[in-house]
Amino acid sequence: MSRDAYQRSPANAVHSKKRLGQNFLTDSSVVDKIIKAVRPLPEETIIEIGPGRGALTRRLVQEAGRVIAIEFDRDLIAQLREQFSRQENFRLVEGDALATDFCGLLAPEANVRVVANLPYNIATAILQRLIEQRNCITEMVLMLQREVVDRMIAPPGSAERGFLSLLVEAHCEPEKLFDVSPGAFRPAPKVWSSAVRLTLHPGHPEGLQNEKLLWLVVGAGFAQRRKTILNNLRNAPTPLQELIKNHGGASIVLCQAEVDLQRRAETLTLDEWVRIARILS
């Protein structure tokens, strides 16, 4: 199908809603690239989050064994039901991806891959939700704001490194695939997008006993990026601060973890964050 065919809106097409952060993918060449990256298999199930007007859904339904699409916008749901009413391998779920039990949708299957063009305003929150359900999700191919993808893959010492970088590093093998210009969407966003593949590994980072504590420590460490890790841990939220004091104070904890007191959060490796959390466990 030509790019123009994707861009022509039918008379009953639903217009994007700014409050939902909707930017519909319309460029067929980008759809081709995503399908090539995903390589849907006739025996597998794929979950698509936010199918929108169905540009990517059409191709997934043609090539995958089963497609489960999750859509929040009721106006789009009516259009999608009509568009894919004859597809036996298509299931449309009306719901919020932030509250969806992805593993529960799969029964009786155990594993799934996720494909999504995520709204910029809730992309990070949905990503966290997906990672939480990594026991049934093996891989994600996502379209995100380019700066979000850059933060995901930022190495230690990079200015872009932050909480999201550590979350992805702890649970995924990220691979940036390609950049996408604003013109590939309608309406066109003001920023570039990037497609990324995230291969998930189940379980917790090696040597970690309390993952919830790890993310409390990481969050506190990045609270004020210009301050040292020592100062940020000294000013951690009350529950964490009490725990740090019970272990001798921030200086003692960092020394035991063999982390220089004057370093900043973005320079620490995942292993160093795990060492800090392990001492506080």
Side-chain angles (χ1 to χ4, degrees), residues 61-82:
V61 166
Q62 289 172 6
E63 301 189 30
R66 182 184 180 207
V67 176
I68 302 173
I70 302 169
E71 180 56 60
F72 180 75
D73 188 336
R74 289 185 178 180
D75 293 331
L76 287 170
I77 287 167
Q79 181 176 301
L80 289 163
R81 279 184 178 148
E82 180 181 354

Side-chain angles (χ1 to χ4, degrees), residues 3-211:
R3 174 172 176 170
D4 288 342
Y6 272 105
Q7 291 182 345
R8 286 196 299 268
S9 298
N12 62 344
V14 178
H15 296 291
S16 67
K17 295 180 176 68
K18 189 174 182 180
R19 63 182 176 82
L20 297 180
Q22 292 173 335
N23 299 93
F24 299 124
L25 180 62
T26 58
D27 190 332
S28 61
S29 65
V30 176
V31 173
D32 289 340
K33 285 184 177 181
I34 295 173
I35 293 297
K36 184 177 180 180
V38 176
R39 294 182 181 177
L41 300 173
E43 66 273 15
E44 75 170 325
T45 294
I46 288 180
I47 289 179
E48 183 185 12
I49 299 173
R53 294 176 180 162
L56 181 57
T57 316
R58 282 191 287 271
R59 294 289 303 279
L60 291 173
V61 166
Q62 289 172 6
E63 301 189 30
R66 182 184 180 207
V67 176
I68 302 173
I70 302 169
E71 180 56 60
F72 180 75
D73 188 336
R74 289 185 178 180
D75 293 331
L76 287 170
I77 287 167
Q79 181 176 301
L80 289 163
R81 279 184 178 148
E82 180 181 354
Q83 186 176 356
F84 296 102
S85 60
R86 297 183 180 181
Q87 299 292 336
E88 295 182 358
N89 65 333
F90 176 76
R91 177 186 173 191
L92 183 61
V93 176
E94 180 178 353
D96 184 350
L98 290 173
T100 297
D101 177 4
F102 294 95
C103 297
L105 291 175
L106 292 179
E109 295 150 39
N111 295 304
V112 71
R113 291 195 291 161
V114 172
V115 180
N117 170 29
L118 294 180
Y120 293 156
N121 55 349
I122 57 170
T124 300
I126 292 179
L127 177 61
Q128 288 180 271
R129 176 70 176 169
L130 291 168
I131 288 176
E132 287 173 2
Q133 300 192 50
R134 60 189 176 275
N135 288 336
C136 67
I137 298 173
T138 59
E139 181 184 277
M140 300 181 282
V141 175
L142 308 175
M143 185 86 72
L144 300 155
Q145 189 172 338
R146 184 165 63 181
E147 67 178 44
V148 173
V149 174
D150 288 344
R151 290 205 302 271
M152 280 185 186
I153 62 177
S158 168
E160 289 79 24
R161 189 169 174 85
F163 184 96
L164 182 61
S165 315
L166 272 299
L167 181 67
V168 169
E169 183 178 346
H171 297 297
C172 309
E173 186 68 37
E175 177 192 0
K176 185 174 179 179
L177 300 174
F178 52 85
D179 292 330
V180 182
S181 72
F185 304 90
R186 291 292 181 273
K190 296 180 180 179
V191 296
W192 278 65
S193 301
S194 293
V196 62
R197 186 198 315 276
L198 300 175
T199 303
L200 287 96
H201 36 83
H204 305 282
E206 186 176 353
L208 182 66
Q209 290 82 37
N210 187 337
E211 184 165 348

